[in-house]
Amino acid sequence: MRRGIAAAVAVTAFTISASACSSGSSSSDSSGPVTITWWDTSDATNEAGTFKDLVKEFEKANPDIKVKYVNVPFGDAQTKFQTAAGSKGAPDVLRADVGWIPGFAESGFLTPLEGTPAAKDKDQFEPNLIKQATYQDKLYGIPQVTDTLGLMYNKELFTKAGIDKAPGTWAELKSAMGKIKDKTGVDGFAFNPQGYYAMPFLFGEGTDMVDVGDKKITLNSPAAVKGIDTLQDLLKAPGARKLDTTSNAYANIMDAFSSGKVAAIIQGPWENANVFKGSAFKNKENLGIAPVPAGSAGQGAPLGGHNLVAYAGSDAAHQEASQKFIAFMTSADSQEKVANANGTLPTREDAYTVEVVRNPGIAGYQDLLSGGVPRLPLPEYSSLYTPLETQLIKIVSGQVGTKSGLDQAAAEAGRLLPDYSAS
């Protein structure tokens, strides 16, 4: 699944009473089954088939419920659901990015799931994942798949360069890059200049884009400047791949890594399956997965994934059917099947079976989940990636200085968060 993080930013939600909405795509009558609509935002080519198979299993086990399956491109789904929720046509169930929960809940589009059949196994899920499916102390989503960023690296290239372990700090990565380039001729590191991939550099200095507790924008704080300066220093060092700021940057970097033309990248488990198709990783054991390197204040990577949520505008019969469907799709058995077929990470411990962790990509990222940083419970949070990314590209390409660029990003963030003070 290629994550269109930059494209899938939040649009400021308009508030609407969800009780006044109705789902135009759902139907039922006293003589037939209830039909619910599910918008699946998974990759239509590599992942959707697994979910379609699970829908058939659910319908077989629940003959009184039919599921209308619709695959909606991830990059379009947030705005499309928001628009549909304000009129007729919203789906009963949506596969929502974790960052969408606060905004949709704030607008009244989602049904709280605490105490419903959908949340019957709540205690089986990773606590941090439940935390970011919760807004203002109400549970609005059930985690279906999860992810975090890690350092993917080519073990063979590292060994050829005389490096016997993954770098634990940005300074160690900088040193490793130069050795790899010198010993193998291959670029040591490539960076995708999207805002989401810059977050470990902020977390590594103990900061985030905002401080929710103090209602303060921290995008241009001294810690944030230090983090992005660290990134700048890394990209200017010997062994760094030439920066790609084209629209195909993501694909180009993944192709280079998978074919052995670059030794390390920052990436998430959604690319496991594609990496293993590459010539450099025919032997899956050649893929190294380690925590993103640490900054001066420690190490951290964003915790992501997708939750299944229920539309608040559906009637009681559809709510009940939706809750059963969500429980089925997030069960240990369903998550095990998804992990084995798609190579993605389950959200509950009992789904990490012997067969699932036999996949080195899954096993590697499972070890990183406990250190993931949950998304802040702020409706506008996902929108902040846009000003960060816009200025990040200018900074790393030398158009503006780090402080100047982050000051501009903070000013743009201030327009999204007028109640927040600047650093």
Side-chain angles (χ1 to χ4, degrees):
M1 176 177 64
R2 289 188 169 173
R3 294 274 294 260
I5 298 292
V9 297
V11 179
T12 303
F14 52 88
T15 304
I16 184 168
S17 172
S19 61
C21 302
S22 62
S23 178
S25 58
S26 303
S27 63
S28 66
D29 60 59
S30 58
S31 61
V34 173
T35 299
I36 60 173
T37 298
W38 177 37
W39 282 7
D40 172 29
T41 58
S42 71
D43 185 275
T45 302
N46 298 320
E47 298 179 318
T50 304
F51 295 119
K52 290 178 182 178
D53 289 342
L54 285 174
V55 166
K56 293 176 182 178
E57 287 187 31
F58 174 78
E59 291 179 329
K60 185 175 181 180
N62 297 271
D64 58 335
I65 303 173
K66 297 296 181 184
V67 179
K68 180 181 178 181
Y69 175 93
V70 182
N71 186 271
V72 179
F74 177 78
D76 301 333
Q78 184 181 14
T79 301
K80 190 171 183 179
F81 179 80
Q82 181 173 290
T83 300
S87 59
K88 294 183 179 181
D92 301 285
V93 178
L94 171 71
R95 182 180 186 263
D97 181 89
V98 296
W100 303 346
I101 298 291
F104 287 164
E106 179 77 14
S107 295
F109 296 154
L110 306 181
T111 298
L113 298 175
E114 191 77 56
T116 72
K120 64 183 179 65
D121 290 343
K122 176 185 173 182
D123 293 342
Q124 297 295 324
F125 293 84
E126 294 287 341
N128 273 344
L129 304 184
I130 291 296
K131 180 179 180 180
Q132 62 182 12
T134 302
Y135 180 66
Q136 295 185 344
D137 298 322
K138 292 183 179 180
L139 179 67
Y140 286 101
I142 306 300
Q144 184 191 37
V145 296
T146 187
D147 58 63
T148 189
L149 291 177
L151 185 74
M152 278 187 174
Y153 66 99
N154 186 314
K155 292 180 181 179
E156 182 180 353
L157 290 173
F158 270 62
T159 299
K160 286 181 178 179
I163 306 168
D164 58 6
K165 64 177 182 179
T169 66
W170 297 119
E172 290 178 3
L173 176 59
K174 180 180 176 181
S175 174
M177 286 161 36
K179 291 179 181 178
I180 290 167
K181 185 68 172 181
D182 183 55
K183 298 290 185 179
T184 70
V186 171
D187 292 328
F189 175 70
F191 179 73
N192 179 12
Q194 289 185 328
Y196 189 76
Y197 291 89
M199 294 310 295
F201 293 90
L202 300 187
F203 295 152
E205 300 305 325
T207 192
D208 202 322
M209 294 188 286
V210 292
D211 182 330
V212 174
D214 290 340
K215 284 197 166 186
K216 190 174 183 179
I217 295 168
T218 55
L219 265 173
N220 60 337
S221 65
V225 172
K226 184 176 182 180
I228 301 304
D229 275 343
T230 298
L231 170 59
Q232 275 275 70
D233 184 55
L234 198 65
L235 296 179
K236 292 177 181 178
R241 190 172 183 84
K242 183 180 179 181
L243 188 67
D244 187 342
T245 59
T246 68
S247 59
N248 293 323
Y250 187 107
N252 294 339
I253 290 169
M254 289 311 306
D255 290 343
F257 179 70
S258 299
S259 62
K261 296 176 183 177
V262 65
I265 58 173
I266 297 171
Q267 192 52 278
W270 54 86
E271 283 293 351
N272 279 337
N274 288 327
V275 167
F276 289 140
K277 293 176 183 177
S279 58
F281 300 100
K282 290 180 179 179
N283 174 8
K284 292 183 178 181
E285 297 300 327
N286 189 40
L287 178 64
I289 298 170
V292 292
S296 65
Q299 182 271 340
L303 191 63
H306 294 83
N307 300 319
L308 294 187
V309 300
Y311 174 50
S314 299
D315 63 27
H318 291 88
Q319 290 285 350
E320 183 179 353
S322 296
Q323 291 160 12
K324 288 182 181 179
F325 178 66
I326 291 173
F328 176 87
M329 295 298 286
T330 58
S331 67
D333 182 64
S334 292
Q335 290 202 30
E336 179 184 3
K337 291 174 180 175
V338 171
N340 285 328
N342 295 352
T344 50
L345 271 64
T347 59
R348 44 192 294 166
E349 188 66 32
D350 52 358
Y352 284 91
T353 62
V354 173
E355 185 179 0
V356 168
V357 298
R358 196 173 287 136
N359 181 324
I362 292 177
Y365 276 99
Q366 182 190 14
D367 292 339
L368 308 185
L369 289 177
S370 61
V373 180
R375 202 76 57 92
L376 292 177
L378 182 69
E380 298 86 359
Y381 188 85
S382 293
S383 296
L384 299 177
Y385 287 125
T386 298
L388 171 59
E389 181 168 318
T390 299
Q391 297 304 317
L392 179 68
I393 291 174
K394 293 180 180 180
I395 292 168
V396 296
S397 60
Q399 298 177 47
V400 297
T402 302
K403 183 63 166 63
S404 176
L406 292 182
D407 281 344
Q408 181 60 39
E412 293 173 24
R415 288 190 277 274
L416 296 170
L417 298 167
D419 295 336
Y420 277 57
S421 63
S423 292

